[in-house]
Amino acid sequence: MTPDRLTSDAATPVLFEGCFGWLHPAAGRRGVVLCAPYGGEALATHRAWRRFAERLAAAGLQVLRFDYPGTGNSAGDEGDPARLEAWLGAIRAAADHLRAVAGVEEVALVGLRLGGLLAAAAARAVAADALVLLSPFPSGRAFLQELRAVALLAERPADAPPAVGPEGIDSAGFRLTPETAEALRGLDLARLTEAPAPRVLILDRPEGRAAALAERFRALGAEVEETPFPDHARLMTSVQHAALDCSAFARATAWLAHGTAPAGVAPSGVARSVEAASPFLRLAGAVERPLGFGPDAGLFGILCEPATAAGRPAVLLLNSGATPHGGTGRMSVRLARRLAARGIASLRMDLGGLGDSASKPGRRDGLIYCRDMVEDARAGLDALAAAGHGAAAVVGLCAGAAVALHVALADPRVVGLALVNPGRFVLGDGVTQEEAIGSAVKPATAYLPRLTEPAVWRAILRQDRKASRVARGLSERAARRLRIGAGRLRAGLTGRGYARDDVLHAFQALTDRGVRTLMVHSEGDVTLGELEAQAGADGGRLRRMDGLWMERLPGADHSLMERAARERFAALLDRLLDGLDAPPAKAGYRDSRAFGPRHRTEA
């Protein structure tokens, strides 16, 4: 493992003013600070944003992309006071860092969505030479109006608290506090009295309000260009779509690079000064540092270690679906820092082709359920071992749960396992997140009552797409259960012959090895269909396995975006980790609302 080794695109982790970032060095003396969007949009565009930075660096521009305070890997929390002031201050600090460390002579700010509003608001203080606004919000009020609408329209569990309430706006697992919302209301680019930068490029979607913004900036003396943003919807709606090349990013790159020196290798002085930065983020009771590991140091993760080691097994946190290593709603960051407070080290990592890890040769980015991800996860275990943490528990949500299961089967260093809403239990060549969602089928009991409805039969007879998918999924599930059952019968008679995808056999092997497993499902989640397909209704024989403990989370969505659901899971994970040194007890199936230190409902 080489913690200070650069990733495959030569980007280097940096730390400034408590903010974590990436410097993409180049030969030119013109620099770019990338100001990311907010919340769920930042997660969806993370890989595309990284690729944009690489494109800019290849054009000779030195680039710094970073996490705002209280977001991503940076210090702080979304609920801390004065968030807007901290975000604007971080943009100024990023520009200062770029000038001081990379030696750039010109700085441009590039902002996407809320990042565009923040970049324009900070541009004068930064003394920006140029400004690029990608589908920007013209005001904080416009941002809040859209965020509120998205939050209210999103599907939520029936007993979840309202998305918009006295505690703020909850959207995609992120919370914007009333204080931050009130501060944002004061931002309005139409009220600027000075041009934010001498040169401005605005790329906007057709329904945007770029024209009025452009006229305002021109009236203030800026040279303004406008151009369409045709990829906006594709970029913002999914991780897989965002991983593709974006024509708007290409246009912005050409505009920013015009007149700069030809691209080339970064000056040696720049590389030396970056490597000497030693980016360690010191938190209350913990220290975090970035690691490059695996083949060619192409995998990336953040090692979070407690200030006082307790000699406990470490925790490996895998991607949730195709979401970057920080997790939906920053879940993995919160878990890592919570674990450190309890004396437990962790590594939150990106598997190959996801987040900040390098692409996999011969495979496109953004795929999940890939069998080669098992070796990536084992490289994560190697990184933990090199840091002095031999035994580990592996945590995975959705597709990450399938990888966690298979790395536990492959590696004896895994002593604990936490699986949350596993959508599948088998790995293959990989699928997109959309394909995985589209093929998911609920338990049969969810469909049987509807078979008495004439409309359902009409849909089946006319081969309605959704009805056909469900019918096909149920029939495939039945055939698979027969095949797996035949394998068990054969194994019972001959001692061999289990089906390769026999999940019961896999979990029995882990139990026999002494691995303790926690399996958590959100109440009513679609992934319960996969559990039924593999183990029978309500988990069947899995519920009776020693060392395997199953939980249901009421009021939780699939990705645990609800704060209360994340807190309940964190408490369950604490219990799993606390029990790793104890002998396994007989498993039970409980509702987490009834969970307590001495309560147990036997299966």
Side-chain angles (χ1 to χ4, degrees), residues 64-90:
L64 179 58
R65 59 186 172 98
F66 70 100
D67 298 328
Y68 303 115
T71 74
N73 295 314
S74 293
D77 188 74
E78 61 189 8
D80 291 344
R83 289 298 80 190
L84 177 58
E85 181 181 339
W87 295 345
L88 295 175

Side-chain angles (χ1 to χ4, degrees), residues 209-227:
R209 288 172 270 185
L213 205 57
E215 287 305 312
R216 177 61 182 169
F217 291 168
R218 287 191 186 102
L220 294 173
E223 177 187 325
V224 183
E225 291 186 37
E226 300 172 71
T227 190

Side-chain angles (χ1 to χ4, degrees), residues 425-476:
F425 291 98
V426 294
L427 301 172
D429 295 331
V431 297
T432 67
Q433 195 160 284
E434 285 77 13
E435 289 168 343
I437 293 171
S439 63
V441 178
K442 296 179 181 179
T445 52
Y447 301 107
L448 292 177
R450 299 203 60 195
L451 291 180
T452 60
E453 301 175 17
V456 172
W457 282 105
R458 286 196 295 271
I460 293 173
L461 291 173
R462 69 170 182 266
Q463 295 184 327
D464 174 83
R465 179 179 298 178
K466 182 176 179 181
S468 298
R469 177 179 62 80
V470 171
R472 184 171 59 255
L474 291 175
S475 63
E476 290 174 354

Side-chain angles (χ1 to χ4, degrees), residues 117 136-140 142-143 187-190 209 213:
L117 175 62
F137 288 99
S139 67
F143 164 73
L187 281 186
D188 189 343
L189 300 184
R209 288 172 270 185
L213 205 57

Side-chain angles (χ1 to χ4, degrees), residues 24-281:
H24 298 255
R29 293 298 181 182
R30 186 175 294 172
V32 177
V33 174
L34 294 183
C35 304
Y38 169 80
E41 292 186 335
L43 292 183
T45 59
H46 184 96
R47 191 76 176 178
W49 205 233
R50 175 181 183 267
R51 181 170 292 183
F52 182 30
E54 294 170 0
R55 181 192 289 268
L56 290 165
L61 301 160
Q62 302 202 55
V63 183
L64 179 58
R65 59 186 172 98
F66 70 100
D67 298 328
Y68 303 115
T71 74
N73 295 314
S74 293
D77 188 74
E78 61 189 8
D80 291 344
R83 289 298 80 190
L84 177 58
E85 181 181 339
W87 295 345
L88 295 175
I91 296 173
R92 295 192 295 269
D96 291 342
H97 187 85
L98 196 55
R99 289 185 174 109
V101 172
V104 300
E105 298 167 356
E106 301 176 26
V107 171
L109 301 184
V110 179
L112 175 62
R113 304 287 281 154
L114 179 63
L117 175 62
L118 299 177
R124 290 291 300 181
V126 167
D129 298 280
L131 177 66
V132 176
L133 305 180
L134 299 159
S135 189
F137 288 99
S139 67
R141 289 182 181 276
F143 164 73
L144 293 169
Q145 182 179 14
E146 183 169 317
L147 184 69
R148 186 179 292 108
V150 169
L152 291 173
L153 291 172
E155 291 187 15
R156 295 172 69 84
D159 50 355
V164 180
E167 293 186 347
I169 304 173
D170 286 325
S171 177
F174 297 88
R175 174 173 293 175
L176 194 78
T177 66
E179 181 200 16
T180 304
E182 186 59 32
L184 282 166
R185 285 190 184 93
L187 281 186
D188 189 343
L189 300 184
R191 297 178 185 171
L192 292 180
T193 57
E194 296 180 281
R199 300 171 58 240
V200 180
L201 173 66
I202 304 176
L203 299 96
D204 204 6
R205 49 188 172 165
E207 66 273 23
R209 288 172 270 185
L213 205 57
E215 287 305 312
R216 177 61 182 169
F217 291 168
R218 287 191 186 102
L220 294 173
E223 177 187 325
V224 183
E225 291 186 37
E226 300 172 71
T227 190
F229 193 162
D231 303 315
H232 176 270
R234 186 186 70 170
L235 180 70
M236 307 306 298
T237 52
S238 86
V239 175
Q240 270 69 41
H241 290 163
L244 303 176
D245 285 333
C246 175
S247 62
F249 290 166
R251 174 71 182 91
T253 300
W255 187 84
L256 287 164
H258 181 70
T260 192
V265 179
S268 58
V270 173
R272 281 196 300 272
S273 63
V274 170
E275 291 172 2
S278 299
F280 283 73
L281 179 60

